[in-house]
Amino acid sequence: MNKLYIGNVSAEASEEDFETIFEQWKIPHSGPFLVKTGYAFVDCPDEKAAMKAIDVLSGKVELHGKVLEVEHSVPKLPHVVGAIECGLTLLCTPTVNTDTETAVVNVRYAAKDQARLAMEKLNGSMMENYALKVSYIPDETAAPEGPSAGGRRGFNARGTPRSGSPGLGARPKLQSDIPLRILVPTQFVGAIIGKEGATIRNITKQTHSKIDIHRKENAGAAEKPITIHSTPEGCSNACTTIMEIMQKEALDTKFTEEIPLKILAHNNFVGRLIGKEGRNLKKIEQDTGTKITISPLQDLTLYNPERTITVKGSIEACARAEEEVMKKVRESYDSDMAAMNLQSNLIPGLNLNALGLFPSGAPVVCSYGYSGHPESETVHLFIPALAVGAIIGKQGQHIKQLSHFAGASIKIAPAEGMDAKQRMVIIIGPPEAQFKAQCRIFGKLKEENFFGPKEEVKLEAHIKVPSFAAGRVIGKGGKTVNELQNLTCAEVVVPRDQTPDENDQVIVKISGHFFACQLAQRKIQEILAQVRRQQQPKPTSGAQPPQPRRK
């Protein structure tokens, strides 16, 4: 397959831009570039040229401020898709996974009976001299059939374990949506996949899990990530099987180095995994007979927030340690989800996906102005003057990426003097963009050690409010602002001796950690929205009500 897909393409990119890049890197191509909005296609004369383009360009070359993603184009399979539909109702568009040696088409149906019928009709059918093999995987994240289970809004409701799946017994209920992610040496990936994907299919079937081997990530890297989706028990069983396969392959190839288990976990969970003075981690080591180390904070990047947890010991010991480590991670995840669900109800405009941490099934809430679109806001966030370079990045790349990621305008204001200890970051954008941008800035300051390892990042943010609304933020006798501080845990101050600016606005100062600042900002914006609604002119009593428009 010599057709390439080029993703993450800027809207400004043209065919001439790609011609220039391929010529610069001496990559041959056998046809014109087909440039679409956000992506492009091109044919290469052979597999060697296609692989060179992937290795040289993917994740490494930037075009109009966006880093290109290059991979083999997955051909559409109309015969397969047409056969799979079988006149039944598809729940979503079929997707093709080519991470394994054989292409796998994943299709979701609206009902179990329809999926089983499709399986019966397709199993053994021939396509291009190949027999199709179709298996049925129940969707553990789907809502149960029949009456609503009464789950919380926005979360995946789960019913009783299914017991009627072909070849499968009753499956335990998933405790949380967080998958197990591990790193494996690249040289063992082939053994894990097996001939024509037989080994990985066998692991998937035995452990009732979905396993993604990300072979195309970080071309040339010594290790590749594997993501395992299943119950905690299924994840652990799949992990143990993978460790056993690597151990056998090491013996067969006379590989003498130790093969530790490497687990990837979001940095947000690692502190609670370690525990106060390292007690949690020490207990896991003692209980399992393993040696556990965690990659330093310095290895993190803004767009790769995972830490590597390296576990050394026998396969049995590593398997027990994996269970304990992931138990702590899942507990932290569930705790954060519960807290964020509470926050989302309190904070209009908060999108949980903005964290880059929670799954796409999380609730999405957004506040809208009178026009029906999210209202843009301006926030002045004050950071240490020494941190300006880290926020801007080399040649301004970091702040550009941050602005693109958040969907906000982000600028650093000039220093007020030579000895200024703080600099003002001006962020303009709707609530979700504000959340994303401020979240990343708080995280970057922690990542770059501008705050101590045990010190919480606390910053001051200023928002401007109409002078006539300042009293509403303060409340009678300071009641509203006191309630605001108690609710958000942020310090909220409306300086009394302010002179309104040319727009008749005054400043409200908010200080605290990230979630405290966000909650305070949202609650203040809520107060301002109420004031604006009350300021709208009301129709006079004698006025005729507006007549409906004729269509």
Side-chain angles (χ1 to χ4, degrees):
M1 187 195 306
N2 302 322
K3 189 180 200 63
L4 292 180
Y5 165 84
I6 306 172
N8 200 34
V9 174
S10 168
E12 303 170 19
S14 65
E15 186 176 339
E16 291 73 22
D17 291 329
F18 288 111
E19 292 276 5
T20 302
I21 289 174
F22 272 62
E23 184 178 339
Q24 177 185 345
W25 292 98
K26 296 180 172 57
I27 301 170
H29 58 93
S30 55
F33 290 87
L34 181 61
V35 182
K36 300 287 186 180
T37 304
Y39 62 95
F41 293 101
V42 68
D43 288 316
C44 289
D46 50 41
E47 180 67 13
K48 183 179 178 182
M51 288 306 299
K52 180 179 179 181
I54 292 171
D55 291 340
V56 170
L57 303 180
S58 189
K60 299 172 184 175
V61 174
E62 186 178 296
L63 179 61
H64 294 299
K66 302 185 78 171
V67 179
L68 299 177
E69 299 170 358
V70 184
E71 60 185 42
H72 283 299
S73 172
V74 178
K76 291 182 180 178
L77 303 176
H79 300 90
V80 176
V81 173
I84 286 175
E85 288 180 356
C86 295
L88 304 175
T89 305
L90 284 174
L91 196 61
C92 64
T93 304
T95 58
V96 182
N97 174 13
T98 56
D99 279 344
T100 56
E101 295 294 339
T102 56
V104 178
V105 182
N106 299 312
V107 186
R108 290 179 64 198
Y109 284 95
K112 290 187 289 185
D113 292 341
Q114 293 182 340
R116 290 199 186 101
L117 179 59
M119 183 180 71
E120 291 169 5
K121 288 186 176 182
L122 288 174
N123 236 334
S125 300
M126 299 299 294
M127 176 188 168
E128 297 179 4
N129 299 322
Y130 288 95
L132 297 180
K133 183 177 179 181
V134 184
S135 58
Y136 171 69
I137 304 174
D139 184 359
E140 288 293 339
T141 63
E145 294 180 5
S148 171
R152 286 177 296 168
R153 182 182 177 186
F155 284 79
N156 295 328
R158 297 188 177 88
T160 55
R162 295 168 172 81
S163 57
S165 306
L168 299 179
R171 299 173 70 181
K173 171 181 163 182
L174 281 167
Q175 291 180 2
S176 65
D177 294 318
I178 193 165
L180 169 63
R181 282 174 51 79
I182 61 175
L183 279 177
V184 301
T186 302
Q187 67 225 64
F188 296 135
V189 168
I192 295 168
I193 294 172
K195 189 176 181 180
E196 297 182 348
T199 305
I200 197 69
R201 282 198 301 272
N202 192 41
I203 300 172
T204 300
K205 184 177 179 181
Q206 289 181 350
T207 62
H208 310 320
S209 58
K210 179 180 180 293
I211 302 175
D212 295 321
I213 301 177
H214 309 284
R215 291 191 301 158
K216 295 174 185 176
E217 289 188 14
N218 305 324
E223 295 173 315
K224 297 292 182 183
I226 294 179
T227 304
I228 305 170
H229 302 266
S230 185
T231 61
E233 182 184 0
C235 288
S236 297
N237 291 340
C239 179
T240 301
T241 305
I242 289 170
M243 286 193 289
E244 290 170 349
I245 290 170
M246 291 194 294
Q247 190 70 39
K248 183 179 182 301
E249 181 69 9
L251 291 172
D252 293 345
T253 58
K254 295 181 172 55
F255 183 82
T256 56
E257 295 179 22
E258 184 180 8
I259 309 170
L261 171 62
K262 293 189 176 182
I263 302 170
L264 296 173
H266 196 286
N267 183 53
N268 283 19
F269 306 139
V270 170
R272 283 165 284 184
L273 169 64
I274 296 171
K276 190 174 182 181
E277 297 176 352
R279 290 172 190 165
N280 291 346
L281 210 57
K282 288 175 185 174
K283 186 176 189 305
I284 294 174
E285 287 180 321
Q286 291 168 0
D287 292 347
T288 62
T290 56
K291 175 65 178 174
I292 304 175
T293 56
I294 298 178
S295 60
L297 278 167
Q298 288 79 0
D299 291 353
L300 292 175
T301 65
L302 187 61
Y303 301 98
N304 178 29
E306 289 180 310
R307 305 271 291 275
T308 303
I309 303 163
T310 303
V311 185
K312 293 184 178 181
S314 66
I315 289 178
E316 294 76 13
C318 287
R320 291 197 302 272
E322 178 273 327
E323 291 178 8
E324 294 301 318
V325 166
M326 289 307 296
K327 182 181 177 183
K328 287 289 183 188
V329 170
R330 290 185 182 101
E331 287 173 356
S332 300
Y333 170 87
D334 290 338
S335 173
D336 285 356
M337 282 299 291
M340 288 298 293
N341 185 49
L342 173 63
Q343 296 263 12
S344 71
N345 293 326
L346 293 171
I347 308 178
L350 171 57
N351 181 350
L352 299 183
N353 296 328
L355 278 175
L357 167 60
F358 300 112
S360 57
V364 177
V365 186
C366 194
S367 60
Y368 289 82
Y370 304 122
S371 63
H373 298 285
E375 293 186 343
S376 186
E377 302 168 1
T378 300
V379 176
H380 295 167
L381 190 65
F382 290 84
I383 63 172
L386 295 175
V388 169
I391 298 298
I392 294 175
K394 189 175 181 181
Q395 296 179 339
Q397 285 300 309
H398 184 269
I399 199 168
K400 288 178 186 175
Q401 290 175 350
L402 179 56
S403 179
H404 175 75
F405 164 79
S409 166
I410 304 173
K411 297 178 181 179
I412 309 289
E416 293 185 355
M418 292 293 292
D419 300 326
K421 293 183 179 180
Q422 288 189 319
R423 292 284 292 276
M424 183 169 71
V425 183
I426 305 170
I427 306 169
I428 303 173
E432 183 182 333
Q434 290 287 348
F435 183 90
K436 288 182 177 181
Q438 293 179 48
C439 178
R440 294 299 196 185
I441 290 172
F442 272 76
K444 184 67 173 175
L445 296 180
K446 184 69 172 180
E447 174 191 324
E448 297 289 345
N449 298 318
F450 288 103
F451 291 79
K454 296 183 179 180
E455 186 180 3
E456 196 165 26
V457 179
K458 291 186 177 181
L459 299 178
E460 183 174 305
H462 291 183
I463 60 176
K464 289 187 176 183
V465 304
S467 59
F468 62 82
R472 291 288 296 274
V473 175
I474 297 169
K476 188 174 181 180
K479 181 182 177 182
T480 303
V481 77
N482 288 334
E483 288 178 348
L484 197 58
Q485 293 185 120
N486 291 334
L487 172 67
T488 65
C489 299
E491 182 182 350
V492 182
V493 177
V494 184
R496 292 186 177 276
D497 299 329
Q498 291 188 76
T499 301
D501 62 13
E502 65 276 10
N503 297 317
D504 196 31
Q505 292 182 319
V506 294
I507 291 171
V508 177
K509 298 180 179 180
I510 304 165
S511 303
H513 59 74
F514 172 70
F515 284 116
C517 279
Q518 283 299 301
L519 186 50
Q521 288 175 40
R522 301 271 57 83
K523 296 306 287 184
I524 291 171
Q525 292 294 347
E526 193 177 313
I527 292 171
L528 297 180
Q530 291 173 354
V531 172
R532 284 194 293 269
R533 284 194 294 269
Q534 292 170 357
Q535 291 290 319
Q536 284 187 308
K538 297 179 181 178
T540 57
S541 58
Q544 293 292 326
Q547 297 295 320
R549 294 181 181 178
R550 293 186 179 181
K551 293 184 179 179

